[in-house]
Amino acid sequence: MRSSAPTRDCGPGSKLRVGFDARWYNRSGVGTYVAGLLGVLSRQSQLELVIYEDAANPVPDLAPGCIRKQVLSGKYSWAGQIELARLCRQDRLNLFHSPFYIAPFLAGCPVVITVHDLIPFLFPITSWPKQILVKLGYRRAVRKAAHVVAVSGHTANDLQKLLHVPRERISVIHNAARRDLFQPEKQPGELTYLCHKYHIRPPYVMAASARNWQTKNLHATLAALDLVRRLSRTDFQVVVFGPEDGLRAIENVQNNVRALGPIPGSDLAILFRNAEVFIAPSLYEGFGLPVLEAMSCGCAVIASNAGALPEIVGRGGQAFAPLDITVMAHAVVDLLCRPDVLQRWRNSALRRAEDFSWERAAKETLRVYHHVAFGSQPEKMLVAAD
């Protein structure tokens, strides 16, 4: 069921009054999306942004012209639905943007939602009763939405195939990395800092863990790197960042693996700048932000050819079948043993990273807002199914 017409009059020359659910700001991929997109949108003169946020976790670095409002109820609660719907009507929004699949069903204005991935439809990531509820939430959200933003073409195709969202209601808008943070210029003392804080010394290879660790394919990552050690006879550390859930579930983890847990973005950037390679053989990614962050730091990338990773990596890195441990291992050996090859892939990573920016994402998001509010077509953003 579509939402009712906007409660605030507007015309093509008017400012759009847009509500944005910023309660999802945190250290997750969705939180990064909220901060990156709002950091640019808050400076757009054609918008009046009403930011709905958690008072204990406000989004930093927004332009002073934004209207900030606290939402007291929980994100997943019925009370939150009622409170947010009341605020939307009270604030006479032209549209509401939810950066996640939880959206106010009684907003009284058109709703735009962003879908980052459809992992709950593809992998068992929680108990089956909860997974059923999550799937129902996604289905209800895409039916309610006036328009759906997908963070990759792969996610857009999943929306069409799994949830039967019409192609004309989907726009692909890629995420981006923070260019002030994830950049290739090394600073004096970075290696000393890594040694003192994390007991890391070069050379080292990086990998990622996550709560949904099965999709990160950590078993294959560690198996490939163990083979690299045998093939190259090179001594290197394996540095794994992110929640340690995956490593706890893997038996016989090698002693040379440094598990850092979740770390600040500033430290992650330093790690990427000084790493030999980042290996990400995920079984599925809706976007794959860590891969882009690594490329933005000039880190050579080896990724899988599953999910959205080939789309994001492009010619900036090497992509292989996620379970082809031998091929991935030989690619890592080549990077570790041949400085010219390593430098070539570092340069390729930097060139590819230039294709992504939050300024571009904000511009394309504004097109979606105008499309929803005024009926204009969001140029070059309708997605064709592969």
Side-chain angles (χ1 to χ4, degrees):
M1 179 178 177
R2 296 294 185 86
S3 54
S4 58
T7 58
R8 179 174 179 267
D9 293 334
C10 64
S14 306
K15 282 189 175 184
L16 281 174
R17 191 173 178 87
V18 174
F20 196 103
D21 191 353
R23 296 175 300 161
W24 302 98
Y25 171 67
N26 54 26
R27 295 175 68 175
S28 70
V30 177
T32 300
Y33 172 84
V34 170
L37 186 62
L38 283 181
V40 182
L41 286 180
S42 68
R43 291 164 174 79
Q44 303 303 306
S45 59
Q46 62 268 53
L47 282 184
E48 289 181 357
L49 267 180
V50 183
I51 309 296
Y52 300 106
E53 61 187 0
D54 180 349
N57 194 30
V59 183
D61 303 323
L62 300 185
C66 292
I67 302 168
R68 293 179 182 257
K69 293 206 169 182
Q70 298 177 13
V71 180
L72 303 179
S73 307
K75 296 192 292 290
Y76 292 97
S77 67
W78 282 110
Q81 284 279 319
I82 295 168
E83 182 181 4
L84 207 52
R86 176 182 59 79
L87 288 170
C88 289
R89 294 174 182 275
Q90 175 184 302
D91 294 330
R92 302 181 67 226
L93 301 177
N94 294 128
L95 63 90
F96 180 91
H97 188 169
S98 174
F100 201 45
Y101 73 92
I102 304 296
F105 299 119
L106 301 173
C109 66
V111 173
V112 173
I113 67 167
T114 298
V115 174
H116 300 266
D117 60 60
L118 290 177
I119 286 177
F121 292 85
L122 300 167
F123 297 92
I125 59 172
T126 186
S127 63
W128 68 263
K130 184 177 179 180
Q131 193 133 340
I132 288 174
L133 289 175
V134 170
K135 290 179 181 180
L136 286 173
Y138 272 92
R139 290 191 174 101
R140 194 173 181 187
V142 297
R143 285 199 303 268
K144 166 71 177 179
H147 207 78
V148 181
V149 172
V151 300
S152 67
H154 191 275
T155 294
N157 287 334
D158 281 349
L159 282 164
Q160 294 173 70
K161 295 172 185 175
L162 299 175
L163 297 183
H164 310 295
V165 181
R167 56 175 284 189
E168 63 270 14
R169 286 206 292 121
I170 305 174
S171 293
V172 174
I173 303 177
H174 286 141
N175 289 338
R178 281 185 55 181
R179 287 184 173 175
D180 62 321
L181 193 62
F182 294 97
Q183 50 82 25
E185 297 300 324
K186 297 179 181 180
Q187 303 300 314
E190 287 186 346
L191 291 177
T192 301
Y193 175 79
L194 293 179
C195 179
H196 287 170
K197 185 171 182 177
Y198 297 112
H199 307 291
I200 293 171
R201 296 178 176 84
Y204 61 89
V205 175
M206 291 185 64
S209 181
R211 288 186 176 86
N212 54 323
W213 57 270
Q214 297 98 324
T215 67
K216 296 298 180 184
N217 200 19
L218 274 173
H219 293 85
T221 302
L222 297 181
L225 294 177
D226 187 48
L227 180 57
V228 168
R229 194 174 300 280
R230 299 198 303 270
L231 290 172
S232 68
R233 301 184 182 277
T234 302
D235 185 24
F236 60 90
Q237 286 181 306
V238 179
V239 177
V240 180
F241 66 93
E244 296 181 25
D245 303 52
L247 287 173
R248 293 192 192 102
I250 297 174
E251 298 180 357
N252 302 320
V253 174
Q254 302 99 319
N255 291 329
N256 60 343
V257 174
R258 294 284 303 140
L260 304 186
I263 61 174
S266 55
D267 285 3
L268 183 58
I270 295 173
L271 283 163
F272 279 144
R273 278 196 290 274
N274 292 279
E276 301 301 303
V277 60
F278 175 43
I279 180 169
S282 300
L283 300 176
Y284 177 94
E285 294 285 353
F287 182 83
L289 185 59
V291 169
L292 178 57
E293 290 172 340
M295 292 193 299
S296 299
C297 293
C299 181
V301 164
I302 291 175
S304 80
N305 60 4
L309 286 178
E311 174 185 347
I312 304 309
V313 171
R315 296 182 178 180
Q318 302 177 72
F320 304 104
L323 298 179
D324 198 337
I325 292 169
T326 301
V327 173
M328 285 189 290
H330 280 284
V332 175
V333 169
D334 214 24
L335 293 170
L336 291 176
C337 298
R338 297 183 58 188
D340 58 323
V341 173
L342 179 62
Q343 189 59 51
R344 186 170 74 246
W345 283 111
R346 283 176 171 169
N347 294 339
S348 297
L350 286 173
R351 285 194 297 270
R352 176 56 176 162
E354 288 295 319
D355 294 335
F356 303 84
S357 74
W358 284 119
E359 289 75 17
R360 178 177 178 178
K363 182 179 179 180
E364 294 175 348
T365 302
L366 276 173
R367 289 178 184 166
V368 169
Y369 292 169
H370 281 269
H371 166 65
V372 171
F374 307 128
S376 58
Q377 289 297 317
E379 298 174 11
K380 299 181 182 179
M381 296 177 62
L382 299 184
V383 181
D386 288 342

